[in-house]
Amino acid sequence: MPQILKIKVIPRASKNKIVGKMADGTLKIKLKALPVDGKANEELVRFLSEEFDVKKERVRIISGKTGRKKIIEIQ
């Protein structure tokens, strides 16, 4: 059963980490990567695959590829 997550990404952090949940349930995640050429998206997929212990191919950005707010599907 796929899991859908709402995420707000904060790029250019000192390390990758989940900061917490916002009032609407959105996960706030800090990433080291810069928001250039899809680097932050790649880093987010890698980070979530490690956190949820799944392969990178099972983490998919459904919407928000060019913004900070994203909807992610984890299978």
Side-chain angles (χ1 to χ4, degrees), residues 3-9 26 40-41 44-45 48 59-74:
Q3 187 174 10
I4 305 295
L5 301 172
K6 291 193 311 185
I7 294 178
K8 180 176 181 180
V9 173
T26 300
N41 286 340
L44 178 63
V45 168
L48 290 174
V59 178
R60 185 171 67 102
I61 299 173
I62 296 174
S63 69
K65 289 185 180 180
T66 60
R68 290 182 182 217
K69 293 186 178 180
K70 302 177 185 303
I71 296 178
I72 306 292
E73 178 185 59
I74 299 175

Side-chain angles (χ1 to χ4, degrees), residues 4-21:
I4 305 295
L5 301 172
K6 291 193 311 185
I7 294 178
K8 180 176 181 180
V9 173
I10 302 162
R12 298 184 183 110
S14 59
K15 66 178 190 173
N16 296 337
K17 68 178 181 176
I18 297 173
V19 178
K21 276 191 178 180

Side-chain angles (χ1 to χ4, degrees), residues 4-62:
I4 305 295
L5 301 172
K6 291 193 311 185
I7 294 178
K8 180 176 181 180
V9 173
I10 302 162
R12 298 184 183 110
S14 59
K15 66 178 190 173
N16 296 337
K17 68 178 181 176
I18 297 173
V19 178
K21 276 191 178 180
M22 298 171 63
D24 66 354
T26 300
L27 272 180
K28 200 182 231 184
I29 298 177
K30 289 187 175 184
L31 296 174
K32 294 187 291 186
L34 299 176
V36 178
D37 297 329
K39 298 290 184 200
N41 286 340
E42 291 172 17
E43 185 80 10
L44 178 63
V45 168
R46 187 192 59 72
F47 177 69
L48 290 174
S49 71
E50 289 175 4
E51 287 293 310
F52 287 89
D53 196 28
V54 296
K55 293 181 180 180
K56 287 190 290 187
E57 296 78 30
R58 303 193 75 158
V59 178
R60 185 171 67 102
I61 299 173
I62 296 174

